[in-house]
Amino acid sequence: MTAQPLFALTAGEPAGIGPDLCLLLARQAQPYPLIAIASRALLAERARQLSLDIQLIDAEPDLWPSAPAPAGSLYVWDTPLAAPVVSGQLDPANAGYVLETLKRAGQGCLDGHFAGMITAPVHKGVINQAGIAFSGHTEFLADLTHTEQVVMMLATHGLRVALVTTHLPLKDVATAITAERLARVTRILDHDLRSKFGIARPRILVCGLNPHAGEGGHLGREEIEVIEPTLEQLRGEGLELIGPLPADTLFTPKYLEHCDAVLAMYHDQGLPVLKFKGFGAAVNVTLGLPIIRTSVDHGTALDLAGSGRIDCGSLQVALVTAYQMADSRR
């Protein structure tokens, strides 16, 4: 048994800024033992490239640390690369390596070794180019944990936004918003705000789908036929739901200061507001999983890998959020 909960940090796409983020983060001590799941050789080479003096300390099953690493050091569960890495240059040969880091972290959470996992960005395109069907962290972890429905939520200071639909063409959104899907997503959001964020009675604002929330059916009937009846049913189950409200007025202080989360109907309805408010200081949280998973709010930034011109603010927020979620669970 370890004295403190362990957390896993996956370094993401090896040619991107994920390894840089892990090393920059290691300059300061963390409150809990944090295990970077990555190639030790990759981290050593990237540290040399960045002129960072970071001590890499071996960590693996049966040899987990019992205390946080000192400032200037990083625990590493060495995961071998398939091919050498050049900063900024994608190589499909290392797609399997990326998925292995995710598998180790996710399975470690399921097995109780890790209290949560934090993920640096991956590059979906190069993994698919390698002939591996991969649509993202969320779907990979849902499959690994045998979870039927997950919910994407981004959060920054003073605002949480969850999505009913995620990466769909706009023309397909209305059809995808069924009563069953809306109810399932809303229940997961309410449940995880309680169980993983420690909110006793979450107050959730729900966006309408159409402009002016349909304006009484004149601008669309989805609110009348699907959204309002579903919310009323869920209120009968004890959920505190306000809406559907027009999205253009919902995202104002009058409403936001009295809510715990916003439920948006589609990706570009809610996330532009959140990213305007907190880009670089936001976190991506996957709700509905039996494990805790948080991530950064940005991509692999291949052009910045190895340059030292990056900000690890989003990763720090992802770490703090994972720690807080684990504390709430305990």
Side-chain angles (χ1 to χ4, degrees), residues 112-123:
H113 298 307
F114 302 130
M117 61 182 287
I118 302 94
T119 59
V122 299
H123 194 287

Side-chain angles (χ1 to χ4, degrees), residues 185-204:
V185 168
T186 308
R187 289 189 186 108
I188 289 171
L189 174 58
D190 177 80
H191 175 273
D192 279 20
L193 288 173
R194 294 173 191 262
S195 65
K196 295 179 180 176
F197 288 86
I199 302 170
R201 183 172 171 78
R203 194 167 192 264
I204 300 169

Side-chain angles (χ1 to χ4, degrees), residues 261-286:
V262 172
L263 182 60
M265 291 295 129
Y266 56 95
H267 188 282
D268 282 13
Q269 182 182 59
L271 297 194
V273 180
L274 184 132
K275 293 196 175 187
F276 176 77
K277 179 177 173 61
F279 189 75
V283 57
N284 186 337
V285 184
T286 305

Side-chain angles (χ1 to χ4, degrees), residues 149-226:
Q149 176 73 55
V150 292
V151 175
M152 180 181 188
M153 183 178 81
L154 267 72
T156 191
H157 180 70
L159 181 62
R160 300 183 184 97
V161 177
L163 303 177
V164 177
T165 63
T166 52
H167 302 117
L168 283 180
L170 199 54
K171 66 181 179 63
D172 297 333
V173 168
T175 304
I177 299 173
T178 61
E180 180 185 14
R181 183 182 194 135
L182 177 58
R184 200 164 56 231
V185 168
T186 308
R187 289 189 186 108
I188 289 171
L189 174 58
D190 177 80
H191 175 273
D192 279 20
L193 288 173
R194 294 173 191 262
S195 65
K196 295 179 180 176
F197 288 86
I199 302 170
R201 183 172 171 78
R203 194 167 192 264
I204 300 169
L205 301 183
V206 182
C207 296
L209 171 65
N210 298 294
H212 301 182
E215 199 156 300
H218 296 288
L219 293 175
R221 296 191 55 82
E222 286 82 4
E223 286 78 10
I224 294 171
E225 296 175 359
V226 177

Side-chain angles (χ1 to χ4, degrees), residues 179 182-187 227-241 263:
L182 177 58
R184 200 164 56 231
V185 168
T186 308
R187 289 189 186 108
I227 300 174
E228 290 175 0
T230 303
L231 299 187
E232 192 58 35
Q233 173 196 337
L234 294 171
R235 290 187 192 105
E237 299 175 10
L239 279 67
E240 188 169 351
L241 307 171
L263 182 60

Side-chain angles (χ1 to χ4, degrees), residues 1-7 32-35 59-68 75 108 111-115 330:
M1 294 293 290
T2 58
Q4 290 183 284
L6 303 175
F7 290 83
Y32 298 105
L34 181 66
I35 315 296
E60 58 186 52
D62 301 324
L63 292 172
W64 296 128
S66 59
Y75 293 125
D111 293 342
H113 298 307
F114 302 130
R330 290 199 299 274

